[in-house]
Amino acid sequence: MTLTYILLVTFAGGLASVTIAAMLTVGLLSRIVKHLVSLSTGVLLSTALLHVLPEAFESGADPHNLFLALLGGLMFFFLLEKAELYRHTHHHEGDGHHHHHHFDREQAGRGGLSVLVGDSIHNFCDGIIIAAAFLADHHLGWVTAMAIVAHEIPQEVGDYIVLLNAGFSRKKALFFNAVSGMAAVVGGLVGYYIVGPWQQLFPYLLVAASSSFIYVSVADLIPQLQRRLPWKDTALQLLWLGVGIVFVLIVVGGKHTH
């Protein structure tokens, strides 16, 4: 029964967080489409710096090794984006690719694949954590699963926006977000069968996931915001950055939840 619970919870949890995030984002799109990049930047940076990285560093792993993993992750996503550029997967209007409405050539981001890889790693870690909790106690497993779904929602909102900004249609963004969410099921299986040996790798997997969020924010999204604007538009950028950060703080409760 324990394995059944783990598979059901990881599947339902991954699907629920992506669906809720998509519903929230679609509701926001018609009202704040101009501010989605600012909102996404706040969500991704705060998720990485206020939740994922603290959890990794509080694990007891060697901080020097964790920083080395962070550096390696940033370099990996830099090279991954280079590969994307060489394959011409960035989008330009008039080149035959579908563009989400209101996103022009200057706004078409290149962080889609990077954020999907990072999100999959993070979801994989969540699946392992859920499995470990269920193996310890079924009640702890249910509580942990609910906490993980709650903290995934703001992250998935940010990921969904990044995919739209990278030129994905809404359907494709939802589909690929759902696919990355299913990495939790794989993590649940791995956690159930070999949870002991993998525990020492949790912090490094979490750092690898956070490096993708940091890289996409700093290398792709923030440069789109760094342009000369009237003071009112600049104030709105800061406002929506703050909204993204507060959103994460409210859902996560200002600290990691598992």
PDB file of all heavy atoms in Angstrom, residues 62 83 96 122 126 136 176 202 219:
ATOM      1  N   ASP A  62      28.535  19.730   2.826  1.00  0.00           N
ATOM      2  CA  ASP A  62      29.658  20.673   2.810  1.00  0.00           C
ATOM      3  C   ASP A  62      29.289  21.895   1.956  1.00  0.00           C
ATOM      4  O   ASP A  62      29.039  21.748   0.754  1.00  0.00           O
ATOM      5  CB  ASP A  62      30.894  19.985   2.226  1.00  0.00           C
ATOM      6  CG  ASP A  62      32.135  20.864   2.294  1.00  0.00           C
ATOM      7  OD1 ASP A  62      32.016  22.060   2.606  1.00  0.00           O
ATOM      8  OD2 ASP A  62      33.238  20.344   2.009  1.00  0.00           O
ATOM      9  N   ALA A  83      23.534  25.951 -26.757  1.00  0.00           N
ATOM     10  CA  ALA A  83      23.075  24.911 -27.676  1.00  0.00           C
ATOM     11  C   ALA A  83      21.723  25.270 -28.259  1.00  0.00           C
ATOM     12  O   ALA A  83      21.467  25.043 -29.449  1.00  0.00           O
ATOM     13  CB  ALA A  83      23.001  23.574 -26.941  1.00  0.00           C
ATOM     14  N   GLY A  96       7.885  32.275 -38.883  1.00  0.00           N
ATOM     15  CA  GLY A  96       7.087  31.071 -39.051  1.00  0.00           C
ATOM     16  C   GLY A  96       6.740  30.371 -37.770  1.00  0.00           C
ATOM     17  O   GLY A  96       5.965  29.438 -37.761  1.00  0.00           O
ATOM     18  N   HIS A 122      13.891  19.421  -9.715  1.00  0.00           N
ATOM     19  CA  HIS A 122      13.235  19.782  -8.462  1.00  0.00           C
ATOM     20  C   HIS A 122      12.069  18.843  -8.164  1.00  0.00           C
ATOM     21  O   HIS A 122      11.898  18.374  -7.027  1.00  0.00           O
ATOM     22  CB  HIS A 122      12.756  21.235  -8.540  1.00  0.00           C
ATOM     23  CG  HIS A 122      12.359  21.802  -7.225  1.00  0.00           C
ATOM     24  ND1 HIS A 122      11.794  23.044  -7.091  1.00  0.00           N
ATOM     25  CD2 HIS A 122      12.435  21.294  -5.960  1.00  0.00           C
ATOM     26  CE1 HIS A 122      11.545  23.282  -5.806  1.00  0.00           C
ATOM     27  NE2 HIS A 122      11.935  22.235  -5.099  1.00  0.00           N
ATOM     28  N   ASP A 126      11.386  16.258  -5.058  1.00  0.00           N
ATOM     29  CA  ASP A 126      10.149  16.241  -4.275  1.00  0.00           C
ATOM     30  C   ASP A 126       9.579  14.833  -4.192  1.00  0.00           C
ATOM     31  O   ASP A 126       9.068  14.416  -3.146  1.00  0.00           O
ATOM     32  CB  ASP A 126       9.115  17.183  -4.900  1.00  0.00           C
ATOM     33  CG  ASP A 126       9.427  18.652  -4.637  1.00  0.00           C
ATOM     34  OD1 ASP A 126      10.214  18.924  -3.721  1.00  0.00           O
ATOM     35  OD2 ASP A 126       8.879  19.509  -5.353  1.00  0.00           O
ATOM     36  N   ALA A 136       8.574   6.609   6.390  1.00  0.00           N
ATOM     37  CA  ALA A 136       8.705   6.863   7.824  1.00  0.00           C
ATOM     38  C   ALA A 136       7.356   6.762   8.536  1.00  0.00           C
ATOM     39  O   ALA A 136       7.238   6.147   9.595  1.00  0.00           O
ATOM     40  CB  ALA A 136       9.322   8.243   8.058  1.00  0.00           C
ATOM     41  N   PHE A 176       4.199  20.695 -21.396  1.00  0.00           N
ATOM     42  CA  PHE A 176       5.576  20.452 -20.968  1.00  0.00           C
ATOM     43  C   PHE A 176       5.741  20.661 -19.462  1.00  0.00           C
ATOM     44  O   PHE A 176       6.554  19.977 -18.829  1.00  0.00           O
ATOM     45  CB  PHE A 176       6.545  21.349 -21.750  1.00  0.00           C
ATOM     46  CG  PHE A 176       6.800  20.872 -23.151  1.00  0.00           C
ATOM     47  CD1 PHE A 176       6.324  21.576 -24.240  1.00  0.00           C
ATOM     48  CD2 PHE A 176       7.512  19.706 -23.378  1.00  0.00           C
ATOM     49  CE1 PHE A 176       6.550  21.125 -25.526  1.00  0.00           C
ATOM     50  CE2 PHE A 176       7.745  19.244 -24.655  1.00  0.00           C
ATOM     51  CZ  PHE A 176       7.261  19.954 -25.740  1.00  0.00           C
ATOM     52  N   PHE A 202      20.440  14.556  -2.131  1.00  0.00           N
ATOM     53  CA  PHE A 202      19.347  15.537  -2.121  1.00  0.00           C
ATOM     54  C   PHE A 202      19.856  16.969  -2.255  1.00  0.00           C
ATOM     55  O   PHE A 202      19.386  17.735  -3.105  1.00  0.00           O
ATOM     56  CB  PHE A 202      18.551  15.431  -0.818  1.00  0.00           C
ATOM     57  CG  PHE A 202      17.607  14.259  -0.767  1.00  0.00           C
ATOM     58  CD1 PHE A 202      16.893  13.984   0.386  1.00  0.00           C
ATOM     59  CD2 PHE A 202      17.430  13.426  -1.851  1.00  0.00           C
ATOM     60  CE1 PHE A 202      16.036  12.909   0.460  1.00  0.00           C
ATOM     61  CE2 PHE A 202      16.574  12.343  -1.798  1.00  0.00           C
ATOM     62  CZ  PHE A 202      15.879  12.078  -0.634  1.00  0.00           C
ATOM     63  N   ALA A 219      20.037  35.752 -16.487  1.00  0.00           N
ATOM     64  CA  ALA A 219      20.574  35.816 -17.849  1.00  0.00           C
ATOM     65  C   ALA A 219      19.512  36.120 -18.906  1.00  0.00           C
ATOM     66  O   ALA A 219      19.844  36.673 -19.954  1.00  0.00           O
ATOM     67  CB  ALA A 219      21.265  34.493 -18.202  1.00  0.00           C
TER      68      ALA A 219
END
